[in-house]
Amino acid sequence: MKNIKRSLSYLFVAVFAMLFVGCSSKTTQPLEPIGDSFKFEKITLYFKQTYFPKTKTYQSREDVERKLNEEITKNLKINNLIDNNSIEELIVIIDLERVFMGQDLPFESMKSDTIGSPRLGYDIKIVKDKKVLRSLVRTNLIYDAGFLKNIKHISMMDKENERENGAIEALGKDIVEQLKSFK
């Protein structure tokens, strides 16, 4: 009797497992091929700044947007990924939050007019005939300038826009590298 119960329980587990294995299999459709270069006009920038310094002036939102467009376009050209006659369009949406040292601290005296590393994110898409062929979203990126530049920043020896411009340059390169991985 014990053996019959054990055999039935093994049979039940085996049937149950086969049922889930059969249901969980999914077919993946191959991705539609994409071209070697893309039409690119300009980015869409969502710029956020919650603290406004009293002693220093930093580049405007328009300056940041212009530099991002220039950096991405430059990297696309270097990698032969731009063609304004292409039927595939590259859409780039960037989130950039300007951060100041101590801006989230509760007391005004603890806040600094020294800019920190911006918080970054982006959404890149390759679109053809209003259909998204490839897409990638990256969020919560923080620019790391490297050891020596971080020491320079901590000792407040860097220029006002140096950290933000370094982040713009790194972001332009990263977006193009991710785009190259779509192939």
Side-chain angles (χ1 to χ4, degrees):
M1 184 72 160
K2 225 178 197 182
N3 288 339
I4 293 174
K5 283 185 181 179
R6 184 178 294 164
S7 297
L8 285 175
S9 66
Y10 286 137
L11 180 64
F12 177 74
V13 169
V15 168
F16 198 64
M18 284 191 301
L19 177 68
F20 276 111
V21 170
C23 292
S24 68
S25 66
K26 65 178 183 181
T27 59
T28 56
Q29 295 179 342
L31 294 172
E32 186 174 326
I34 59 173
D36 294 327
S37 55
F38 314 100
K39 181 180 188 178
F40 175 72
E41 291 180 22
K42 65 178 187 162
I43 66 163
T44 300
L45 175 64
Y46 293 102
F47 183 88
K48 181 179 176 185
Q49 180 175 342
T50 57
Y51 175 78
F52 297 90
K54 293 154 186 59
T55 61
K56 294 181 181 178
T57 304
Y58 293 94
Q59 57 197 346
S60 68
R61 178 207 178 283
E62 291 77 19
D63 290 335
V64 170
E65 184 173 14
R66 179 183 49 76
K67 287 179 180 182
L68 279 164
N69 274 312
E70 289 171 356
E71 194 63 38
I72 292 169
T73 301
K74 176 183 85 174
N75 284 291
L76 288 169
K77 285 179 181 177
I78 289 170
N79 289 281
N80 297 317
L81 293 171
I82 194 165
D83 176 8
N84 288 327
N85 296 320
S86 176
I87 58 172
E88 296 171 337
E89 182 179 4
L90 172 63
I91 297 173
V92 179
I93 301 167
I94 296 176
D95 293 312
L96 187 145
E97 180 181 356
R98 183 175 279 165
V99 177
F100 290 88
M101 307 304 285
Q103 77 178 23
D104 297 327
L105 296 174
F107 302 108
E108 196 65 35
S109 62
M110 302 173 100
K111 298 177 182 186
S112 169
D113 287 356
T114 302
I115 200 167
S117 291
R119 293 183 188 118
L120 305 163
Y122 60 81
D123 179 359
I124 54 176
K125 292 179 177 81
I126 298 176
V127 178
K128 177 181 175 183
D129 298 325
K130 297 184 181 181
K131 179 183 175 190
V132 177
L133 302 178
R134 303 286 190 285
S135 177
L136 174 69
V137 176
R138 296 191 69 200
T139 60
N140 300 319
L141 303 172
I142 297 177
Y143 171 66
D144 182 6
F147 180 74
L148 292 176
K149 287 186 180 179
N150 285 336
I151 295 295
K152 184 178 175 184
H153 181 69
I154 290 169
S155 60
M156 295 184 195
M157 295 174 64
D158 54 355
K159 296 183 176 103
E160 280 140 3
N161 294 317
E162 187 175 342
R163 183 153 288 254
E164 196 166 71
N165 288 338
I168 289 169
E169 185 178 325
L171 190 64
K173 288 178 182 174
D174 186 55
I175 287 171
V176 171
E177 286 303 311
Q178 295 299 329
L179 185 61
K180 286 172 24 181
S181 73
F182 282 171
K183 302 237 177 225

